[in-house]
Structures are given as C-alpha cells and as structure tokens.
Amino acid sequence: MLRRLPFSLTRAAALTLGAGLAASSALFVGVSHLEYDNLALSFSQRADQRVATVRQGLHDAVEVVTVTNQLFALGAPVTRAQFQDFTAPLLLRHPFIKAFNYHRIVPDAERAAVEAELQKIVPGAVIHEEQGGKQVPAARRPTYSIVDYLVPMGGNEAAFGFDSGTRAPINAALARAHAERRAAATPLFRLVQDPSPQPSFQVILPVYDAKGRLIGDTAVVVRAQELVSMALAGAGLLDDGQIVMSVYAGARPDPADLVFTTSATGARPQRELLGSWIAPEHEAYAARTLDVAGRPWLVEVATKPRPFVADHLASLAMLAGGILLTLMTTAWVQASGARARRVQQLVRKRTADLKRTNRRLVDDMVARERTEKALQQSEQRFRQLVSMSSDWYWEQDKQFRFTMVTGGFSEKAGILVESLLGKTRWEFIPSLGDTERGRTHIAQVRDFQPFNDFEYQLQDDTGQTRWFLVNGQPVFDEQGQFAGYRGTGSDITERKLTEERVHHVAQHDALTGLPNRSLLQDRLGQAVAYATRSGSPMWVMLIDLDRFKFVNDSMGHKAGDVLLMTVAARLRSSLRDADTVARLSGDEFVVIVSETGEQQLTPDIVQRVMNAVAQPVMLGTKEFFVTCSIGVSVFPSESTAADTLIEHADIAMYRAKKLGRNNFQFYTPAMNEESLERVRIESALRNAVERNEFVLYYQPQLDMKTGKICGMEALIRWQHPELGMVPPSRFIGIAEETGMIVSIGAWVLRTACAQNKAWQDAGFDKLRVAVNLSARQFGAADLIENLAAVLQDTGLEPKYLEIELTESLFMSDITPAVDLLHRMKALGVNLSIDDFGTGYSSLSYLSRFPIDVLKIDRSFVADITRDANDEAIVTSIIALAHNLKLAVIAEGVETGEQLDYLRRHGCDEMQGYYFSRPLPAHEFEQLLIEGRGLAPEEIVVEEEAVSAA
C-alpha cells in the first residue's frame, strides 16, 4: 500500500499556481512592451532633436556663405576692408567658422602684380601650392584660384595666396556650385594652415562679374567637429550621458569620414540579453541622412545599455506582485480544500477582476502615453515654429496691453521685459503715432485685424537704435468676444544696417565717399525742380584737375588716390552742406549749387572752390600744387536745358583748359559751336587716310659748319576738300585722344621713308628724314616690327631715318622705355629727343638712353638774344649734349641774331623760318636741285668754332 505524501497540491491549487504564474508572466511581458514603447518614443524625440540641431548648424554654415556671396552680387567692387567689416560680425556669431575666403581667378599674366599686392598685406606672400605636405610656390599654369580675401588673417596666414585650384575636392565643389547656381560643400580635407590634420570642409558659392562671367567664389572654412559640438552644446544636448551620437561627412559610417562621436570606442552599443528576449523588435538606434549643400551627411544616434531594472520597475513590480499574489492564492486554495468550489469560484472571480484591472491599467497607460506623445509633439512643433519664424512670442489682453513676452526677449532685444508688460505698443513707443505707417498700424489693431511684417524702430536700454518686425493675430473666446492679441517678433537690426550699407555703397564713390553718377542724377533732378519752383537759379560746375596724369605717372596710383581724397575733402569744406559735390569719373568732380535767400550765386563761389583746390598737397615727402579747370552751366538759361547741364559744363571746362588751365569759364553758345567743330573734325578725320587727304611737308635741316642741307623733318598737313588746308593744331590733339594717330602716324612714317628713298634714287644727296612718333605709337606692342617692315618695304637704309620722341613718352616708366629704345636703336635708325628742356627729364636717365640728337625747343630759341635765362638754358643744353657725344639741332631759328648766337656757341644744326618754311615735296625737291644753303658769311669756319669752344 502506497504511503501518502505529507504534503501535495490539490488539483485546484496546482491550476491556481500555474494560472497565476502564467498571468503574471504575460502581464510582465505586456507591460514591458509598453515600457519599451515609451523608451522608443523618448529615444525618437531625443534623436530627432539632435538631428535637427546638427541640421540647423550645417544650414547656418550654408546660410553664412550665401549671405557673404550677396555682398559680391550687388555689382559694385568689394574691397578688402568691406569684406573684413562684413564678415567680422559673422565670425563672432559663428565661432565654428575657421575663416572666410574670397577665391579670385587670376590669369598667369597678372601673377606678378597680384603677388606684389599680396606682399603689401603679408610680407613674402606668393601664390603657392602644397606638395609633399610643404608649401611651395605654385607651378606655372594658365590661371590660379587664389585665396585673395581672408578673414581672420591671424592663424590663417599660411592659406593667404594659396592656389585652391590645386585641390580636386574644391574644384569639384566649385564646378557643382557653378552648374547648379547654389552653394556646394566639399568633402573633409586638411587645412594648409593647420599644423595637425583636423576634419574640415568648405561651403562655396561662385562669384560672377556684371557680364555673368565666373571671376571667383566665396567660401567659408568650417571645422566640422567644432560645428557639431558647438551646435549640440548650444542646445544643451551633450549633458545626456545615455545618448551615443556619431556624425559622418558622408552617406556611410566610414571611419575616415567621422566628424564627431560621443562613443569612446566608436562602436554601436549592444542591448542587454533579457531585453532582446522580451522585445526583439525594439531598436534604440536611429540613422538620418542630411543634405549639406549637395553632399550627404550621416547622423547616428543610439542609447547606452542600462540595467533592465532601471527602465522596467513597473513591469518587475507587477511580476513580483503577481507571483506573490499567486502564491498567496494557491496557499489559500490549498488551505481551503474543503471549500474548493467556493474558493475556486472566488479565485476565478478575483482572477477576472485582476485581468480587468490589468486591462484597464494597460488601457490607461496606453492612453496616457498617447496623450503625452501628442502633447510633446505639439510642444515640439510650437517651439520649432517659434524658433524658425521669429525670436520671441508675445501676448496682449483685450486692452492691447502686453501680458507675456517669451523667447529670451530681454537678451535678444536689449530691453527688460518688465518695462514692456502692462503697456500697449504705442504707450511703450510714443513716437509710433507720429508716422503714417504707425497710425495705420494702431487703427488696424483697434479694428481687431491681423497684421504681418510690421517694422518699427526704438532705442534699447543701452541707447542703441534697434529695428523690430512683428506679426500678430487677434484672439476671440468661445462667445466670439475679443480677448487680445498674440504673435511673434524678431530683431531685424542687422538686416536693416546691411541694407543701409548696401544702399550707401550703391550710390557713393568707394574712394572719396562722394555721391556717384547715380546719386548725382537724383540730386540734379531735385535741384532743377527746386529752381523751377522757386525761380532761383542754380549752377552746375564740372571740375577737372590739371596735370593729374603727371601725379599718377610720377608718384603712382596710390598717391593719385590720396590726391583725389584730399581734393574731395576740400571741395566739401569750401561749399555749404546743402550743396552737392559728386565724383563723376577719374579726376572729374561735379558741384551743384542753388541760390537761396542768404547766399546769392556769384563768381566768387567758383573762385573759392579753385582756391581751396590750389592749396599745396603733401604726397609722401614731396609738396605738390595742383590746380583745376572749371566749367559752369547755369539753369534756367535760354542756351541750357535741364538735361544738358553737365554736358554744357563739360564744354565750358574744356574751354577753360584751352585757355591755359587754372581758370573757370561759363558756358556760352559759342562754345557749343567749338564743340560741334571738334565733332566735325573728328568725323572727317576718320576717313582722311583712305581718301588720301593728307600730304607731307618737309622743313630742311642745315649743318651750321657747311651751310648745306643735311636732313629734313616730315610734317603732316591735311588738305580737306571743304575745310581747305587744316593745320596740325586743329586735328593732331583729336587724333591723339581718339587713337586715330596710330594709323596717321604709320602713314607718315611710310610716306616719308618712301619719299626719301625716291630722292636718293633720283641722284640727290642722301639725307636723313626725321619723323615724329606719338605716345600711342610708342606704346604699341608691334612698334619694332612695324619700323622694320617700313624700312624693308621702302628700301631706305635705317641710318637715313631719324625717330623724334618727346620726353614725356618714356619718363613715366624708365626701365621698359630704355629697353624699347635700345631695340629701336638695334634697327640702325637715329633717335632724337624733341622739344628738349620743356619736360621733366632726369639727367641721370638721359645717360641711359641710346639717343643721337637733342632738339632745342623753339620756346628757348625765340628769346636767346633778349632773355638771359633762355640764353643760359640753350648754352647748357649744347654743352650737355656735346659732353654726352650727342648732336644738337635748334628749332624755330627765325633771325640772323639767333643764328649767330647758336653758331658762336657750337650748335650743330638748325631749322626754322630764317632759312625756309616747311615745303611740299615738289618745292623741297626744287630746293635740292638749286643746291641752296646758308650764305658764306653765315657758315661757321673752323677757327671760329674752335675759338667759340
């Protein structure tokens, strides 16, 4: 007989135990799933917040380069100072930016000039590239894309002048930006100015000139790690130790593209074993791909593993409670065996109640989770909306008084919130009702109308002027009664200041700060309207500086700029504040003065302007006296319409220059006739060469020892079919200004050489012919080739051709002029300096020129018998020439006394009316046939020459 165990479970107790354990386990698993859902929701929110923060930081980098590029898109030239002023505040606002760059495309032909400009800023700077990790001068190539503007310079000197075209990633990004006309980002690369490699990238935007041609690009150099870490730190997202975050500058998690990570090992955290068994589908990991200026960035976010107990207290407590309850129920069932049915019913009832309770608990938790999630999403959307659309949020009550202002108003606006609360906007800003726009806004608000983009200005607590932009919507309660306003506001001070700077740059001259041509037309229109309305006259003065080109040529363009700025300041100080002073172009200024009751317009005003300009100016160590010529046009006037004031003032100014400069002239209709005459001469001059209207006259040059003709000077004349014989004084200046002197000079050179060769072939003595060379011809790149071609085509030996040059042709830039003169001399031709003594020659330079002849200007010869100064100058020129082994020709010899003086002082040759005027070719040929020369008593005998010497 089997022995009964002292203790055994009854069937009901066993079933109770099994059912209780199963229910507790099922409830534990269900609640754990809900807890995992809550963790997933929390993780998703934190991951999205970090991804949005990184996206905003990258967007800021793209926005900064877009804003910087707008500075160049305005059309006006951007100086280094403007680039510095514009980008310096952006560097303070975005510390993750390493540098702002302006890459300028430089042709190889301009390399030397650009390097000289770079060295003015950083001594020793050259266009360079990187080879083998070292900075070396860039190899020669057709163009360079150099770092021209660089802010800040400190710490970035190594990048100044760097040829970014040698970097393939930068070239690819620029090509993409040029093709898509939007910002483009580069991959990560090492900065040349960083001693140790750091992950950095550039965001690039192309820069075009007014014709749409690519001339460079603007770029921001961004340290990727600093950008991400600063963005996260600024949002307070680096304090959460449970989040592991990695950012890659690419579409895949490549370690080479790793920009930022909070993981010590860089590996993704692994989940605990129990959590993997209960909720295998749960994933505490998120990956988002961002588009940064055309390049993908990958952001990975994961949570660190935590003990299961830390996140599952509710499920574990429910499991423990279920097990305990099951054990107690089982014990009770076991102890109440006699009441098995009743106990079983009770257990079933309690189990059903427990299930219903658990179900309600689960339903309550799910509903609560949904409510919390919806509330968080709504709050997140509201915060994102406020952060994206404005700087702060405000509310007003039904009396339009401010009740709440959030969003860091005090820090962003510089005004304490307490000073605003309890007041209406027009109470806080009393001046709001003084403007039409302000009154319209107040009426709109009192009519309970919504308003958008309302701009106004006020002074903050520090006294600085701020600009604000606000939007508002009326609020109504459930009964439709007006309850107040709510809306957003933004500080737009920086945008307003930028607009003012851009507007000023567009209407003012960059060098002098005076109004430019655009603003001048507006001021002129206002002055004309005032004169028409008031009946008072107004004057337009066009001022041109005399000999400004000489300052530029002798002292350089920097000195010329200093002179222009000095003159601009003097013009402003010599006139009233109501008068307009503008820079028209180059060294031309325009002044607009209107007559008022306290000041009548008199010539004294013009003289005061001339006196102000004529004060001495220190340029470096030299003192210059610069005068000006002024033309004045008057409105209203019978001869001057409003739209021709500047044109007529220009005509009067040219009249003042013709009268010797340093004077002023009022416009008269007769001046217009002179201007029209100039137009007629210029029009007829363009076809004169093709129509064979030019003829050459020849003035003989005589040897003062033998009395014979030894050469002649070719002088051009214009035989116009209607105007008759036009003297050179009427058309040579116009030909020089228009550039037609090049073709005219080429005709003179070829015709004179051909005529001289024809006389030699006819059996006459071989004479040299002198031909004047204009400044335009001297500066032509093919001068030597053209001279050689003329000599070859005409067959004239080079020694019978003499090229006459004025001092001003080569005194502005000595070194290339000396080289060109030696190349001309190598052809075998003779070289002479015409009008010697009237220019600004340096005797030290004269010894370097391969010159054969000096020609004494007629202005000195005319008075040598009456003026001791001219006598001394002529004697000195003859002695100087002979010491330098040069021949001397005196021009303009018209009297026997002049001839005798020159003969006694050893002058070699002469030409002038004393012997002969310039003659046409056939008359000069007759002179040769007759063998005419100086009379015997006019010839220097050898003994007299020695005695005079």
Side-chain angles (χ1 to χ4, degrees):
M1 182 176 185
L2 295 177
R3 187 176 177 181
R4 187 180 179 90
L5 294 175
F7 177 78
S8 62
L9 288 175
T10 63
R11 183 176 181 182
L15 291 175
T16 302
L17 179 61
L21 292 176
S24 297
S25 298
L27 186 61
F28 167 73
V29 172
V31 175
S32 294
H33 272 281
L34 292 176
E35 291 172 332
Y36 272 117
D37 290 342
N38 189 28
L39 291 174
L41 175 62
S42 176
F43 169 74
S44 176
Q45 292 172 348
R46 290 187 286 176
D48 290 344
Q49 188 177 13
R50 284 158 174 78
V51 171
T53 301
V54 173
R55 179 187 290 111
Q56 183 61 41
L58 295 172
H59 173 73
D60 288 344
V62 176
E63 184 180 22
V64 166
V65 75
T66 303
V67 172
T68 305
N69 190 264
Q70 289 299 313
L71 183 64
F72 290 83
L74 297 175
V78 180
T79 64
R80 295 183 188 275
Q82 291 173 335
F83 189 81
Q84 165 77 25
D85 295 341
F86 189 85
T87 57
L90 296 178
L91 282 172
L92 297 176
R93 187 174 181 179
H94 305 286
F96 56 81
I97 295 178
K98 172 66 175 175
F100 284 88
N101 291 342
Y102 168 49
H103 298 142
R104 177 158 63 107
I105 298 176
V106 176
D108 186 65
E110 299 177 9
R111 177 170 178 169
V114 171
E115 288 183 337
E117 181 182 350
L118 297 180
Q119 291 171 3
K120 293 178 181 179
I121 301 172
V122 176
V126 296
I127 297 177
H128 59 278
E129 62 186 26
E130 189 177 44
Q131 292 184 3
K134 296 182 178 180
Q135 304 297 316
V136 298
R140 288 289 180 176
R141 52 182 64 94
T143 59
Y144 311 88
S145 179
I146 71 167
V147 179
D148 191 19
Y149 292 0
L150 178 61
V151 178
M153 185 64 71
N156 294 304
E157 293 86 353
F160 189 61
F162 179 72
D163 183 8
S164 62
T166 59
R167 288 280 178 93
I170 296 179
N171 286 338
L174 180 58
R176 192 169 73 253
H178 178 57
E180 299 174 0
R181 296 302 177 97
R182 65 166 185 165
T186 67
L188 297 179
F189 64 95
R190 184 181 70 82
L191 300 177
V192 298
Q193 61 264 43
D194 278 352
S196 59
Q198 297 187 42
S200 302
F201 66 98
Q202 286 191 8
V203 184
I204 298 174
L205 258 179
V207 174
Y208 303 93
D209 62 10
K211 297 182 179 180
R213 295 175 298 194
L214 180 67
I215 61 173
D217 62 86
T218 54
V220 291
V221 180
V222 181
R223 292 179 182 257
Q225 183 177 2
E226 293 181 7
L227 183 148
V228 176
S229 61
M230 287 181 181
L232 295 174
L237 301 179
L238 293 180
D239 299 330
D240 191 347
Q242 284 300 115
I243 295 296
V244 176
M245 182 176 179
S246 298
V247 181
Y248 298 87
R252 296 179 298 176
D254 189 347
D257 295 332
L258 181 62
V259 170
F260 174 84
T261 182
T262 58
S263 172
T265 62
R268 185 189 305 175
Q270 302 295 323
R271 292 182 58 194
E272 74 280 1
L273 180 62
L274 182 59
S276 302
W277 176 74
I278 294 177
E281 74 284 356
H282 174 71
E283 184 72 16
Y285 167 80
R288 303 286 189 273
T289 301
L290 308 178
D291 181 87
V292 182
R295 286 194 58 82
W297 280 51
L298 178 65
V299 181
E300 292 185 340
V301 184
T303 58
K304 292 183 179 180
R306 290 180 43 156
F308 186 84
V309 177
D311 296 321
H312 298 274
L313 290 177
S315 58
L316 288 174
M318 188 167 291
L319 177 62
I323 293 174
L324 180 61
L325 181 60
T326 299
L327 291 176
M328 292 177 63
T329 304
T330 301
W332 184 80
V333 171
Q334 182 69 18
S336 306
R339 297 175 294 171
R341 185 180 300 275
R342 187 162 54 90
V343 170
Q344 185 177 11
Q345 292 176 350
L346 182 60
V347 169
R348 290 175 180 173
K349 180 179 179 182
R350 290 187 177 181
T351 301
D353 293 339
L354 181 61
K355 289 182 178 180
R356 286 194 297 271
T357 301
N358 289 340
R359 188 177 296 110
R360 286 195 297 269
L361 178 61
V362 170
D363 292 340
D364 290 343
M365 292 182 66
V366 171
R368 178 182 177 184
E369 194 70 29
R370 289 174 180 172
T371 302
E372 289 179 352
K373 183 177 181 181
L375 181 61
Q376 290 172 353
Q377 290 177 345
S378 177
E379 182 179 358
Q380 183 179 9
R381 285 195 299 269
F382 175 76
R383 292 184 181 274
Q384 290 177 347
L385 177 63
V386 172
S387 64
M388 289 187 297
S389 63
S390 63
D391 289 336
W392 57 79
Y393 172 80
W394 56 267
E395 290 184 359
Q396 292 176 335
D397 58 18
K398 58 184 178 181
Q399 280 78 36
F400 313 113
R401 295 173 300 198
F402 284 99
T403 59
M404 181 182 69
V405 183
T406 64
F409 174 79
S410 297
E411 294 79 9
K412 297 175 182 177
I415 299 173
L416 291 176
V417 174
E418 291 76 9
S419 63
L420 184 60
L421 297 178
K423 299 179 182 179
T424 65
R425 184 173 284 108
W426 46 89
E427 289 174 345
F428 185 69
I429 313 170
S431 61
L432 197 65
D434 297 337
T435 64
E436 181 64 27
R437 181 174 175 82
R439 290 190 294 270
T440 302
H441 169 73
I442 296 173
Q444 191 176 18
V445 169
R446 286 174 172 166
D447 288 340
F448 311 141
Q449 297 295 321
F451 58 89
N452 296 303
D453 299 333
F454 175 64
E455 299 179 1
Y456 62 92
Q457 67 177 22
L458 53 79
Q459 288 188 338
D460 63 11
D461 293 342
T462 64
Q464 295 182 349
T465 300
R466 297 285 195 100
W467 278 90
F468 298 138
L469 181 144
V470 293
N471 301 289
Q473 289 285 340
V475 178
F476 300 92
D477 57 19
E478 296 178 355
Q479 288 75 33
Q481 298 296 318
F482 174 72
Y485 266 93
R486 62 186 174 193
T488 59
S490 302
D491 186 340
I492 60 170
T493 304
E494 185 174 350
R495 189 191 81 190
K496 283 292 186 179
L497 293 177
T498 300
E499 291 175 356
E500 291 177 0
R501 287 195 296 268
V502 170
H503 182 72
H504 184 274
V505 168
Q507 292 196 328
H508 289 78
D509 177 53
L511 176 64
T512 62
L514 296 176
N516 58 15
R517 187 184 296 268
S518 174
L519 185 55
L520 172 64
Q521 293 298 329
D522 180 67
R523 297 277 182 86
L524 182 60
Q526 294 179 18
V528 168
Y530 175 78
T532 303
R533 184 172 60 255
S534 64
S536 301
M538 54 86 64
W539 291 0
V540 173
M541 292 186 281
L542 195 143
I543 304 168
D544 185 86
L545 303 184
D546 300 329
R547 298 177 63 243
F548 176 74
K549 185 178 184 299
F550 169 72
V551 175
N552 261 350
D553 293 343
S554 60
M555 298 291 292
H557 290 283
K558 186 175 182 180
D561 291 344
V562 172
L563 177 59
L564 290 175
M565 289 187 289
T566 302
V567 170
R570 291 177 177 178
L571 290 176
R572 282 195 296 260
S573 63
S574 65
L575 295 165
R576 301 168 303 175
D577 294 338
D579 299 329
T580 295
V581 181
R583 185 184 178 195
L584 193 61
S585 63
D587 61 337
E588 288 187 337
F589 299 86
V590 173
V591 172
I592 303 174
V593 292
S594 299
E595 184 172 281
T596 59
E598 67 273 10
Q599 180 175 356
Q600 303 297 314
L601 297 182
T602 66
D604 293 340
I605 299 175
V606 187
Q607 187 62 51
R608 185 171 68 240
V609 172
M610 292 189 65
N611 294 339
V613 174
Q615 297 300 313
V617 180
M618 291 300 297
L619 299 179
T621 59
K622 298 181 179 180
E623 187 177 59
F624 281 81
F625 290 86
V626 179
T627 59
C628 64
S629 300
I630 302 180
V632 185
S633 60
V634 179
F635 180 86
S637 172
E638 295 182 358
S639 59
T640 301
D643 56 351
T644 60
L645 286 168
I646 296 179
E647 177 185 346
H648 285 179
D650 187 47
I651 293 173
M653 183 272 295
Y654 274 106
R655 177 63 176 172
K657 282 190 174 293
K658 288 184 65 176
L659 294 177
R661 297 186 174 89
N662 193 22
N663 70 92
F664 62 88
Q665 295 291 316
F666 282 82
Y667 171 79
T668 62
M671 295 180 184
N672 199 39
E673 292 298 326
E674 293 181 7
S675 178
L676 294 177
E677 169 69 10
R678 173 188 171 89
V679 173
R680 287 195 296 268
I681 291 293
E682 180 179 341
S683 176
L685 195 60
R686 295 189 180 278
N687 300 317
V689 174
E690 289 78 3
R691 296 175 180 175
N692 296 319
E693 295 177 357
F694 290 119
V695 294
L696 285 186
Y697 277 46
Y698 300 89
Q699 186 171 33
Q701 297 172 337
L702 294 94
D703 189 323
M704 296 183 68
K705 292 182 180 180
T706 63
K708 294 182 179 181
I709 297 175
C710 59
M712 61 274 191
E713 180 178 4
L715 301 169
I716 191 170
R717 299 292 185 268
W718 182 12
Q719 183 64 51
H720 192 274
E722 297 177 359
L723 302 176
M725 185 64 73
V726 182
S729 59
R730 289 183 63 185
F731 68 88
I732 289 298
I734 298 175
E736 284 277 4
E737 293 176 12
T738 59
M740 289 185 285
I741 193 66
V742 176
S743 59
I744 295 174
W747 177 88
V748 170
L749 178 64
R750 183 173 294 274
T751 303
C753 290
Q755 180 63 70
N756 195 16
K757 177 62 175 173
W759 281 331
Q760 292 180 6
D761 293 343
F764 296 107
D765 293 339
K766 293 186 177 181
L767 308 175
R768 70 176 185 275
V769 61
V771 178
N772 288 281
L773 197 68
S774 69
R776 296 251 186 174
Q777 289 176 284
F778 188 77
D782 56 352
L783 173 61
I784 304 300
E785 291 77 6
N786 289 340
L787 281 174
V790 169
L791 291 171
Q792 181 178 359
D793 294 345
T794 60
L796 181 66
E797 294 181 53
K799 64 181 179 180
Y800 296 116
L801 174 61
E802 180 178 298
I803 301 298
E804 291 191 1
L805 308 124
T806 60
E807 298 171 74
S808 59
L809 291 184
F810 43 78
M811 290 309 299
S812 60
D813 199 350
I814 297 298
T815 301
V818 170
D819 177 67
L820 182 58
L821 291 175
H822 278 284
R823 292 172 61 196
M824 295 172 63
K825 188 64 180 174
L827 294 177
V829 301
N830 296 293
L831 300 178
S832 67
I833 297 182
D834 193 14
D835 300 336
F836 183 75
T838 61
Y840 306 94
S841 298
S842 170
L843 297 182
S844 62
Y845 292 149
L846 188 61
S847 62
R848 297 171 56 188
F849 299 149
I851 300 299
D852 300 292
V853 180
L854 289 184
K855 299 190 72 174
I856 304 174
D857 186 62
R858 66 180 67 249
S859 62
F860 299 123
V861 175
D863 292 328
I864 55 176
T865 60
R866 299 187 301 273
D867 191 319
N869 292 329
D870 287 348
E871 179 181 348
I873 291 173
V874 171
T875 304
S876 299
I877 292 175
I878 295 173
L880 172 65
H882 287 168
N883 288 333
L884 295 175
K885 302 298 188 287
L886 304 178
V888 184
I889 300 177
E891 295 182 305
V893 179
E894 298 181 356
T895 66
E897 291 81 3
Q898 295 169 350
L899 178 64
D900 180 63
Y901 178 89
L902 295 169
R903 175 183 59 77
R904 287 187 288 104
H905 287 82
C907 183
D908 299 303
E909 300 175 12
M910 61 80 68
Q911 69 182 79
Y913 285 7
Y914 178 77
F915 178 76
S916 174
R917 294 175 177 269
L919 303 173
H922 66 279
E923 294 185 18
F924 188 85
E925 183 175 331
Q926 186 63 34
L927 196 67
L928 296 177
I929 293 173
E930 296 175 359
R932 288 174 53 191
L934 292 174
E937 62 274 10
E938 299 169 333
I939 302 174
V940 180
V941 297
E942 189 67 25
E943 291 78 11
E944 290 177 337
V946 173
S947 176

